């Protein structure tokens, strides 16, 4: 059994860490809860922009789409391109820092555009609290603190006596508000903690290299950075549109069958091409890195070369969001995140009630002390 001293120490850690990070934990949890169903929400709400009527025509090609974009928006710089090859009538998405543009895959015509949607805001709240690098730093360490709170919470949940175990596993709905609130915090927190530990660990995997290194150490393998490529210099000059089209066609020919192909173009960094293939458990993803100025391949990483550490890295996002286990996994991740969002609220109410109770008792103690002095 856990001693009272350990419980008291855990209680103090749990309390003060909770008060310090409660709002941040709530924001991260509620946004994560929403973003679990990001794909479903987007498909439902943007069907007119995401899809066009099916036609008996081949894909128009990336060069025409990029050229059309540059003609209409010459000052805007592309940050990403997404091509859904699984659904032929899906729009090709070109994104900039401020907007996303949707193009017809059959004739390269512009379907429409939109500013950052609310789901993008939700994602940025979840990963950086809308504060950029500073927010990302705060978010990372808030997750570390939340991990400590889960551990101390489990210590506090564990009853001092085995006979009280059943009481710790059920919510007494007929009790007072104070009792129900306590059970919601204690009991739901216990059940959700097993899933939240997985969600937290996979979140830390994104945030800290040390966690990746630890996973690599445990598996006895190392995350592969990819095979380097030595190429002959490209003598012919080509436009940006032609460059993207050449890369897309070449890799699609060499590695066919991808569901989606995504370009990521970040200033001062490598041009990255991701090709995601049908998979059941671990993500099957080929990643290619290019010089953004010349379009020459620098290195590549194929899923067929994945070791254990690479497989863990590739699966991490799907485990974090529950996608790894399909719809059932998403529902579990949604509910666990929803409970996590409720914990700072129910915990704050518990602390507030205790604080008020202490204040009520303190005047009586003062009167008793005065009476004792008078008697003496």
């Amino acid at each position: 059994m856990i001693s009272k001293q350990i419980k008291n120490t855990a209680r103090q850690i749990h309390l003060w860490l909770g008060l310090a990070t409660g709002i941040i934990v709530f924001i991260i949890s509620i946004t994560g809860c929403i973003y679990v169903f990001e794909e479903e929400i987007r498909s439902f709400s943007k069907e007119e922009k995401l899809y066009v009527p099916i036609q008996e025509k081949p894909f128009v090609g990336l060069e025409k789409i990029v050229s059309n974009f540059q003609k209409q928006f010459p000052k805007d710089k592309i940050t990403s391109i997404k091509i859904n090859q699984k659904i032929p009538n899906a729009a090709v998405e070109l994104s900039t820092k401020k907007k996303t543009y949707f193009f017809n895959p059959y004739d390269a015509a512009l379907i429409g555009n939109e500013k950052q949607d609310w789901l993008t805001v939700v994602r940025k709240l979840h990963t950086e609290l809308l504060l950029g690098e500073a927010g990302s730093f705060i978010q990372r360490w808030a997750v570390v603190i939340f991990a400590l709170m889960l551990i101390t919470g489990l210590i506090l949940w564990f009853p001092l006596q085995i006979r009280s175990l059943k009481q710790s596993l059920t919510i007494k709905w007929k009790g007072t508000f104070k009792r129900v609130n306590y059970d919601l915090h204690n009991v739901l927190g216990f059940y959700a903690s097993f899933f939240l530990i997985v969600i937290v660990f996979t979140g830390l995997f994104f945030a800290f290299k040390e966690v990746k290194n630890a996973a690599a150490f445990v598996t006895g393998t190392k995350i592969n950075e990819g095979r380097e490529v030595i190429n002959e210099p490209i003598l012919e000059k080509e436009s940006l549109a032609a460059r993207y089209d050449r890369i897309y066609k070449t890799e699609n020919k060499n590695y066919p069958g991808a569901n989606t192909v995504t370009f990521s173009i970040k200033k001062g960094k490598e041009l990255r091409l991701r090709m995601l293939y049908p998979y059941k458990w671990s993500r099957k993803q080929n990643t290619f890195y290019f010089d953004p100025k010349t379009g020459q391949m620098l290195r590549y990483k194929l899923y067929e070369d994945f070791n254990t550490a690479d497989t863990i890295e590739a699966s991490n996002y799907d485990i974090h969001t529950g996608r790894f286990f399909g719809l059932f996994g998403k529902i579990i991740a949604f509910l666990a995140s929803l409970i996590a969002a409720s914990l700072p609220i129910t915990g704050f109410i518990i602390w507030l009630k205790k604080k008020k109770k202490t204040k009520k008792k303190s005047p009586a103690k003062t009167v008793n002390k005065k009476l004792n002095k008078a008697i003496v």
Side-chain angles (χ1 to χ4, degrees):
M1 298 299 291
I2 298 171
S3 68
K4 286 185 178 181
Q5 188 177 355
I6 294 173
K7 273 185 170 287
N8 288 333
T9 303
R11 186 173 289 107
Q12 291 301 312
I13 295 171
H14 194 79
L15 170 64
W16 295 112
L17 289 182
L19 290 174
T21 62
I23 294 174
I24 299 170
V25 169
F26 173 80
I27 292 170
I28 294 171
S29 300
I30 202 70
T31 50
C33 172
I34 296 167
Y35 208 74
V36 164
F37 291 104
E38 171 254 344
E39 286 182 332
E40 289 80 358
I41 295 170
R42 279 209 165 102
S43 294
F44 177 77
S45 61
K46 300 180 183 180
E47 190 172 356
E48 292 181 0
K49 291 178 181 177
L50 288 175
Y51 306 100
V52 299
I54 297 175
Q55 298 180 38
E56 293 297 324
K57 292 181 181 179
F59 177 50
V60 69
L62 200 55
E63 185 172 4
K64 288 186 178 180
I65 292 174
V66 175
S67 296
N68 191 17
F69 170 83
Q70 289 179 315
K71 286 177 184 177
Q72 295 188 58
F73 311 99
K75 294 182 179 180
D76 292 343
K77 292 184 178 181
I78 301 169
T79 57
S80 70
I81 302 171
K82 183 179 179 182
I83 305 160
N84 188 337
Q85 299 188 143
K86 186 180 179 181
I87 306 174
N89 63 318
V92 176
E93 299 175 38
L94 271 69
S95 297
T96 64
K97 283 186 177 181
K98 295 182 178 179
K99 288 185 177 182
T100 298
Y101 300 83
F102 302 90
F103 287 87
N104 190 310
Y106 299 116
D107 59 14
L110 178 66
I111 301 169
N113 64 76
E114 64 178 20
K115 293 182 179 179
Q116 281 189 356
D117 65 351
W118 67 276
L119 279 169
T120 303
V121 176
V122 166
R123 177 177 58 79
K124 288 187 175 181
L125 262 171
H126 185 73
T127 57
E128 58 186 46
L129 305 172
L130 297 179
L131 297 173
E133 285 298 321
S136 181
F137 177 83
I138 295 168
Q139 185 262 7
R140 287 198 299 269
W141 286 103
V143 174
V144 173
I145 290 171
F146 186 61
L148 291 174
M149 290 179 66
L150 286 174
I151 295 167
T152 53
L154 285 171
I155 293 171
L156 292 173
W157 171 88
F158 205 89
L160 290 170
Q161 297 177 343
I162 294 296
R163 63 185 180 184
S164 304
L165 186 62
K166 185 178 179 182
Q167 188 177 338
S168 299
L169 292 169
T170 55
I171 298 172
K172 193 176 180 181
W173 294 107
K174 293 182 180 180
T176 61
F177 171 78
K178 182 181 176 181
R179 175 68 195 197
V180 172
N181 181 75
Y182 177 81
D183 284 350
L184 287 173
H185 187 83
N186 197 45
V187 179
L188 290 184
F190 168 74
Y191 287 124
S193 62
F194 299 100
F195 303 104
L196 290 174
I197 286 170
V198 175
I199 293 171
V200 165
F201 179 78
T202 51
L204 293 175
F205 191 93
F206 288 121
F208 294 97
K209 286 184 179 179
E210 291 79 4
V211 179
K212 290 185 178 182
N213 293 337
F217 176 78
V218 170
T219 60
T221 54
K222 187 178 180 181
I223 293 174
N224 182 20
E225 294 298 324
R227 298 183 185 181
E228 291 187 4
V229 177
I230 300 173
N231 290 312
E232 293 294 326
I234 297 173
L235 300 176
E236 294 182 11
K237 289 186 177 181
E238 59 184 354
S239 66
L240 187 71
R243 185 182 306 151
Y244 290 162
D245 189 62
R246 170 178 60 80
I247 291 171
Y248 171 72
K249 284 180 178 177
T250 301
E251 304 316 323
N252 219 27
K253 182 181 178 182
N254 292 336
Y255 305 95
N259 281 349
T260 59
V261 178
T262 307
F263 284 82
S264 295
I265 306 111
K266 293 183 179 180
K267 189 177 180 181
K269 295 187 177 182
E270 297 167 323
L271 168 65
R272 184 172 60 191
L273 178 73
R274 284 179 173 170
M275 304 180 74
L276 186 63
Y277 296 82
Y279 66 96
K280 186 176 181 181
W281 297 108
S282 172
R283 276 196 174 200
K284 293 182 177 180
Q285 180 175 281
N286 290 340
T287 308
F288 305 88
Y289 303 86
F290 300 86
D291 185 320
K293 293 181 180 179
T294 64
Q296 284 185 307
M297 187 186 293
L298 302 174
R299 56 195 174 93
Y300 65 93
K301 187 174 180 177
L302 306 179
Y303 70 83
E304 61 186 27
D305 297 330
F306 282 2
N307 56 36
T308 307
D310 292 325
T311 302
I312 291 171
E313 183 185 40
S315 306
N316 192 67
Y317 180 79
D318 287 347
I319 296 171
H320 186 68
T321 57
R323 296 182 187 187
F324 192 83
F325 300 102
L327 180 60
F328 175 76
K330 284 188 174 186
I331 293 170
I332 293 296
F334 171 85
L335 292 173
S337 299
L338 189 62
I339 291 170
S342 75
L343 294 177
I345 299 169
T346 52
F348 181 75
I349 293 171
I350 291 169
W351 173 76
L352 206 60
K353 291 285 184 183
K354 284 185 178 181
K355 193 177 179 184
K356 286 181 179 180
K357 190 176 180 181
T358 305
K359 281 184 178 180
K360 285 180 180 179
K361 285 184 177 180
S362 58
K365 287 181 180 179
T366 306
V367 171
N368 288 333
K369 284 181 180 180
K370 287 181 178 180
L371 284 170
N372 290 332
K373 285 181 180 179
I375 291 167
V376 173

